[in-house]
Amino acid sequence: MTYALYIASVVGAAALLLMMPRPGYNPRFLGGLLGAATLGGLWLYLSREMPYETGLARSAMACYYIFSAIAIGSAVRVITHTRPVYSALWFVMVVLASSGLFLTLNAEFMAFAMVIIYGGAILVTYVFVIMLAAQAGDADAADSPEYDRVAREPLMAVAVGFLLLAALLSVAFNPNAIVPNPAARGLTDEQIISGDGAILPNRLDAALAGKLAGSANGISTEELAPTRQLHNVERVGLDLFRNHPLGLELAGVILLVSLVGAVVIARKRVDEPGDPPASTTGNA
Amino acid sequence: MTDPLHSLTLAHYLFTGAVLFVLGVIGFISRRNLIIMFLCTEMMFQGVAVTLVAFSRYHQNDTGQTFVIFLLTIAAAEAALALGLVVLLFRRRRTLDAQAWGEMKG
Amino acid sequence: MNLDLIKFIPWLPALAAVLCGLCCTKKALRCLAAPICILSIASGFVIAFLHRGGVPPGGAVVPFFEWINIGGFSANFSYFIDPLTLIMLFVVCGIGTLVAWYAAFYMKGDKGYARFFTFVSLFIFAMTNLVMADNLVLLYLGWEGVGLCSYLLIGYYYNKPSAVAAAKKAFIVNRIGDLGFALGIFLVYQTFGTVSLREAIIAAEHVSEPSTAVTLIPFLLMLGAFGKSAQLPLYVWLPDAMEGPTPVSALIHAATMVTAGVYMIARLLPIFVLSPYALPVVAVVGGLTAVFAATIALCQYDIKRIYAYSTISQLGYMFLGVGALSTVGGVFHLFTHAFFKALLFLTAGSVMHALAGQLDLRKMSGLRTKMPVTCWLMFVGCLALAGFPLTAGFFSKDMILAAVMEKGLGEHGQPLFLALGILGLFTAFLTAFYTFRLWFRVFMGPEQYEMGEEHHGAEEHGHDHGHGEDAKPQAASDIKVEHHHDAHEMPLLMNLPLIVLAAGAIAAGYWAEHSGWIESMVESSTAAVHGGESAHAAELFGYHLHTAMMVISSAISILGIALAAYFHWLNRPAADAAARQYKSIVTLLNNKYYVDEINDAAIVTPLRTKGEIFFAIDRLIIDALVTLVGLVPRALGIGARRLQTGALQGYGLGMACGAAVLLLLVLFVAN
């Protein structure tokens, strides 16, 4: 199986190399085809061994292939497109596709947070900056500047990148490399209520489950209900506030600091080549 | 709670995450536009986020998703600061080429 | 009486030291330094005087602030006040005030005026800490503090090479003694589990079976005392210490610091009696030092050096007294010696001042008409030092000699102490002789002198005074013409402290002994000797021992003075003839038994050679290795610098490459 991965890595690398921006003729279409073929072939080869029970619904598994293909394809366009605005838009596509992947993994909160924060906030910032950084006379120009049209050492970058990828994949698809954690085995609510106490302490809802286990006969539906129907949002929220309060506070501090920092950096006046000399007196 | 992932399914998600990450790396190395370079680091974050959520489902542990929240925080902070710097640098040299700042070599 | 004020005694001089240090910064402020210094020391004396009767029997501890307090170990800035401390405070602050007063005039015009008084204040701070310390660690702090101030003040004329060498010598020789003292303190802590003086003394009094460690303590402490108080074999620094300004010689190297060793042994007497050999050793060293230094003093020509050797000799007496279990005698001699030796040094300073730095005995004569007050003040000091009947030195020296003889002749007479007593009497004779040799030479006879080479208040002290032998008479007379000033009397204000000292040198002994003050003071302190045998007073020649000793020592001192008068006043050619006849002995003594030369050949030169060898090894091998080690990263850096292209993506590439390689390594090595 690993040889298939290595071959796919090499072919994929060649495909990406063809698509990298370069002066002169760009065999982008050829590269795209080759890449799509490699990805499709690899998936077909891998799903050969796929068991019936995957842990996902069948439809979710199908969604995985669709979103994954979109994500990878968009990612390739992000790094190969010669115009930064299009790169940014393709990146929005990557974000949307990976949000779809999160949905298949029952991580609804992450999916929507990703779309709102990445697609909505961060990418808007990027687009603004690209707009700010566009040269004045450049708007009507047919082509983007040279540094966008020509990649720097694409061969080297692609070689190293796919070396890394091959290494990562051989870990990911190596059955020995991933050792399942027995304590992290999934538990049903019935198991929790039946009082398999030995595996409870590590769990998020250990206290509540312990209470349930102690009074198996007297469980009221009101008490049981939250355990049964804990949503993804609730679980993440509980984990975040119960187990990582310090991290949460620090994240707030980091955001504040970067806010202040960004303001300070952006306020700094620079002598711009085209500015009238009067503005130089106002240097901060 | 839903069933845990089969390890082969997990590997599929890891595959997607790894590809996104590696494409980010390649883009960071080969592109010369500072904005695209930062966009590529965001793409590496995406790859990591996919991996984290997949592991979260595999281990039935929500900490993986919690970490994605932190990751989002860092990405937002980084984007704010990095883009501020990019604007500053652009104002100085009127170019976004990373090579323009290569005189800081040893 | 309230003892709260006591703790200010050391800290007022400390404050004064800071203020004087500030005075160093501005030329206009310089003249303020002396009043600040004098005032701080004098107020210390006043505080001590107010408490003269208010010290509870057995002493009292006045806590000031917490200093070191770790686990079971505590050493704090707290002061132990008992009568012995008070005596020391009277000496230190009293003599300190008078000397500072004198120095305020003596040092006038010197560019280090404020620096001098800074150091003096610092010295008083350290010295009062030393005598008031409640624990050995604080005592050691004071002990090292006075050593430091001594070093700073000996090297006061720091552009004079001999002064710098003397300062270093004093410091290094003292280190040897202080090592012993420090080890002694460690051993005290290990043995008694405390460094508090009171607790250690009480613990020592209850030791029934002294162990080896306990009997070792006195010998280690003794070493420190011998170093600080310039006893054999560590005395060599004191004569050289005369390179410092004369008031310093009077205060530090005669009256106070050098007596610290005597104080320490008296204070820790209960620990010293734990070993049956400790005090006899102290007595023997003291007795030998006394006679040894006195013989050297016979043939010196430098006035200050004569007094320096005399100080060593008198300190020997004090050790002899303490060693003979007569702490009263030892402390009494310390008390009286402070008066007359400070007086002698200060008058010698006046002579030196008047003669522009001239210190050579052979180049001055008949100064009595030029400086009558100084002449008679020094005469009083000399009488006291010579032990002339009814002067201060007579009583204290007599008390020591009587105590020694008593131990030698009493019921359980020890021949050792008999021999030491006879040695002491011989030393008394030598003392009387050399003291008056100096006085007759300087003030009597025909008026004839040469000026030294220093201006009054000269800013530059770049030459070696005091070794007038080399100075050619021709050159000296030229200088005399050039200076336009002649020997003269000191102003009255400058002589005032000397008059006080002279009064003390005459009357302090009689008063202190006959009012019983010194005895009651010492006997109610920790230096008290328990179980004394004074009831069985021994007899000598059919008289009471004390009476007999008084008569004998009076006779001896008068004989010494008379001999000196004959040889050095009335018939000087006879002295020269005698010197020629015993040329070898005179040369030996003039060269101080060649002790410095022997030390140089036996200790200093081998050490220096060894040091030079080590220095060469350090330079050639270790330094070279270090340089080589430093060169390697430099060479690597020259190569590696090329990799730093400054291109951001290059670094990204390196990172990705490294991550891939590491991952592959883990993958293949792990499986």
Side-chain angles (χ1 to χ4, degrees), chain B residues 25 28-29 31-32 34 37 98-99 101-102 104-106, chain C residues 641-642 644-654 656:
Chain B
V25 171
F28 183 82
I29 295 172
R31 294 307 298 265
R32 290 162 56 188
L34 279 171
M37 282 167 69
Q99 309 259 281
W101 301 92
M104 286 194 239
K105 63 186 172 201
Chain C
R641 200 160 55 195
R642 304 258 166 82
Q644 303 297 311
T645 56
L648 200 55
Q649 283 111 333
Y651 303 142
L653 191 71

Side-chain angles (χ1 to χ4, degrees), chain C residues 146-203:
Chain C
V146 292
L148 169 73
C149 294
S150 160
Y151 164 81
L152 290 172
L153 284 166
I154 296 170
Y156 175 75
Y157 299 122
Y158 53 78
N159 43 19
K160 198 164 108 187
S162 61
V164 174
K168 281 196 276 192
K169 189 175 181 181
F171 208 66
I172 292 167
V173 173
N174 264 306
R175 285 279 77 64
I176 301 169
D178 293 350
L179 173 69
F181 190 30
L183 289 177
I185 294 174
F186 298 156
L187 209 54
V188 165
Y189 181 66
Q190 200 190 32
T191 316
F192 302 122
T194 175
V195 290
S196 159
L197 285 174
R198 196 138 79 149
E199 288 167 24
I201 287 166
I202 292 170

Side-chain angles (χ1 to χ4, degrees), chain A residues 193-194 211-221 223-224:
Chain A
I193 292 162
S194 71
K211 202 162 72 182
L212 294 172
S215 58
N217 297 327
I219 306 167
S220 71
T221 44
E223 273 183 352
L224 198 52

Side-chain angles (χ1 to χ4, degrees), chain C residues 27-174:
Chain C
K27 206 165 183 176
L29 288 173
R30 259 188 217 169
C31 57
L32 282 176
I36 293 171
C37 176
I38 296 168
L39 209 64
S40 73
I41 307 172
S43 50
F45 180 76
V46 169
I47 294 172
F49 191 73
L50 289 176
H51 289 82
R52 66 194 182 282
V55 177
V61 173
V62 182
F64 186 46
F65 67 86
E66 204 172 82
W67 180 30
I68 304 171
N69 220 337
I70 310 159
F73 179 86
S74 74
N76 297 326
F77 265 94
S78 46
Y79 297 120
F80 180 68
I81 308 300
D82 77 348
L84 180 60
T85 308
L86 274 185
I87 294 175
M88 290 305 289
L89 283 177
F90 289 151
V91 171
V92 172
C93 296
I95 306 291
T97 312
L98 296 174
V99 171
W101 181 307
Y102 177 87
F105 298 94
Y106 183 86
M107 300 302 290
K108 197 154 249 165
D110 197 280
K111 73 175 174 193
Y113 194 70
R115 180 164 57 96
F116 177 84
F117 285 101
T118 310
F119 293 159
V120 169
S121 306
L122 198 63
F123 167 77
I124 297 289
F125 166 68
M127 190 69 201
T128 44
N129 261 321
L130 193 160
V131 298
M132 291 165 72
D134 142 85
N135 56 67
L136 283 168
V137 178
L138 186 57
L139 200 155
Y140 193 70
L141 179 88
W143 190 271
E144 292 299 321
V146 292
L148 169 73
C149 294
S150 160
Y151 164 81
L152 290 172
L153 284 166
I154 296 170
Y156 175 75
Y157 299 122
Y158 53 78
N159 43 19
K160 198 164 108 187
S162 61
V164 174
K168 281 196 276 192
K169 189 175 181 181
F171 208 66
I172 292 167
V173 173
N174 264 306

